[in-house]
Amino acid sequence: MQSPVSNPMENGNWKNPVLVSGNVYRIDGDSATVYYDAAQKHLVKMEQNNDKTNTLITFEYNPSTKQMSAMRMSIMIESKETKIDMEFSKYQSSKNFPDRFFDF
């Protein structure tokens, strides 16, 4: 069974980019549509739609480091929505981990 959040950029046919606004381009593919910010050189969001699943993934970046700081997913399977928010942190040592990382 194929995961609804698999990487669609790895295969398929992609059309030429179309300017949406500012520096953001939409690129339509066989299995997804991606939005790319040419000035910042990173993905803004990705949409995947198939028979039973619709997925929207948005990407957030740290303005000072230009690295991805968060990824937010909304997955609709039939009429049920699941949201997943991931925030990325980088620590040089485990002693710097906030205690909240271990609260479940």
Side-chain angles (χ1 to χ4, degrees), residues 23-61:
N23 296 311
V24 177
Y25 290 83
R26 184 185 76 235
I27 307 168
D28 294 315
D30 293 336
S31 62
T33 299
V34 297
Y35 293 83
Y36 179 77
D37 187 325
Q40 298 295 321
K41 298 184 180 180
H42 60 240
L43 290 176
V44 178
K45 68 179 175 178
M46 178 172 52
E47 299 172 336
Q48 288 180 277
N49 299 309
N50 64 34
D51 295 340
K52 297 180 182 176
T53 307
N54 297 322
T55 304
L56 172 64
I57 303 172
T58 56
F59 305 94
E60 296 175 12
Y61 298 85

Side-chain angles (χ1 to χ4, degrees), residues 2-97:
Q2 184 176 355
S3 168
V5 292
S6 62
N7 185 354
M9 300 296 287
E10 293 177 349
N11 54 39
N13 297 313
W14 293 91
K15 296 179 182 176
N16 289 329
V18 175
L19 182 63
V20 176
S21 67
N23 296 311
V24 177
Y25 290 83
R26 184 185 76 235
I27 307 168
D28 294 315
D30 293 336
S31 62
T33 299
V34 297
Y35 293 83
Y36 179 77
D37 187 325
Q40 298 295 321
K41 298 184 180 180
H42 60 240
L43 290 176
V44 178
K45 68 179 175 178
M46 178 172 52
E47 299 172 336
Q48 288 180 277
N49 299 309
N50 64 34
D51 295 340
K52 297 180 182 176
T53 307
N54 297 322
T55 304
L56 172 64
I57 303 172
T58 56
F59 305 94
E60 296 175 12
Y61 298 85
N62 182 320
S64 61
T65 65
K66 308 294 185 207
Q67 293 182 345
M68 188 182 303
S69 61
M71 185 167 61
R72 310 210 185 280
M73 292 186 274
S74 171
I75 304 167
M76 289 287 291
I77 300 175
E78 295 176 357
S79 63
K80 294 183 181 180
E81 181 178 25
T82 300
K83 290 187 176 188
I84 302 168
D85 291 336
M86 292 186 281
E87 294 186 15
F88 306 110
S89 301
K90 180 178 177 182
Y91 294 97
Q92 298 297 321
S93 159
S94 61
K95 70 179 181 180
N96 296 326
F97 286 177

